[in-house]
Amino acid sequence: MFLLPPNKFFQPKPAFLSWMVTQFSKHLIYDVGAGVGHVSRLLQEYGLSVVAIDNNGRQGREFAVESVDGTSCGYKKGSVVMLCRPCHGDFARDVVEQAIRCKAGAIIYIGLSKNAKQDLGKYRDKFKVKMRNAGADG
């Protein structure tokens, strides 16, 4: 099996991790497009329940990442679907649509403001900014 390099596109700051605990400590969190699973690992270290999924394998995994396509995942009702998006196109929007179909409790998009419209399409106006500078671009 071919594995992609161990790139890390989002390095969460402690303030973001603490905010996640405050907001979602009682929810299952899906880290969609988890890559090596470093964000999932940190969230779990902060006491959160996390399922990391990615449809691409990566070298240097730091957390158990399930091989699942986020656009067709059967997200648990009431769960949190989180996207830390370094790339653009239909994937993020399609994940949002699947999360809505599955009745997710919250959808979190972490990305640059300038990319939000392209990533989220018609759903962009449904999202509210809750935090700025949540992390560093890896």
Side-chain angles (χ1 to χ4, degrees):
M1 174 169 98
F2 176 76
L3 297 176
L4 296 172
N7 298 339
K8 296 180 182 180
F9 297 102
F10 170 62
Q11 301 292 333
K13 292 181 179 177
F16 170 76
L17 298 166
S18 295
W19 178 80
M20 289 291 290
V21 170
T22 300
Q23 298 298 312
F24 303 111
S25 64
K26 295 182 169 116
H27 295 82
L28 174 62
I29 299 167
Y30 290 91
D31 182 1
V32 181
V36 298
H38 66 290
V39 176
S40 298
R41 179 183 51 78
L42 289 167
L43 290 171
Q44 186 178 61
E45 287 174 4
Y46 272 68
L48 296 169
S49 177
V50 184
V51 174
I53 65 172
D54 202 312
N55 55 353
N56 295 302
R58 291 219 180 250
Q59 300 168 2
R61 288 207 169 144
E62 298 179 20
F63 191 84
V65 179
E66 297 179 22
S67 181
V68 175
D69 182 348
T71 65
S72 59
C73 181
Y75 301 111
K76 182 180 173 186
K77 182 179 179 181
S79 64
V80 175
V81 176
M82 179 181 73
L83 288 150
C84 306
R85 297 304 311 145
C87 57
H88 316 294
D90 296 339
F91 180 76
R93 187 206 62 231
D94 292 348
V95 168
V96 168
E97 289 177 345
Q98 180 65 6
I100 292 168
R101 281 191 289 275
C102 292
K103 300 183 183 344
I107 304 168
I108 299 172
Y109 168 81
I110 301 162
L112 298 174
S113 297
K114 69 179 183 177
N115 298 331
K117 182 63 177 171
Q118 182 180 0
D119 289 349
L120 301 171
K122 67 183 180 183
Y123 299 104
R124 169 61 190 100
D125 294 337
K126 304 284 186 195
F127 282 76
K128 305 288 183 220
V129 175
K130 297 293 185 175
M131 179 178 285
R132 296 196 186 278
N133 301 312
D137 182 8

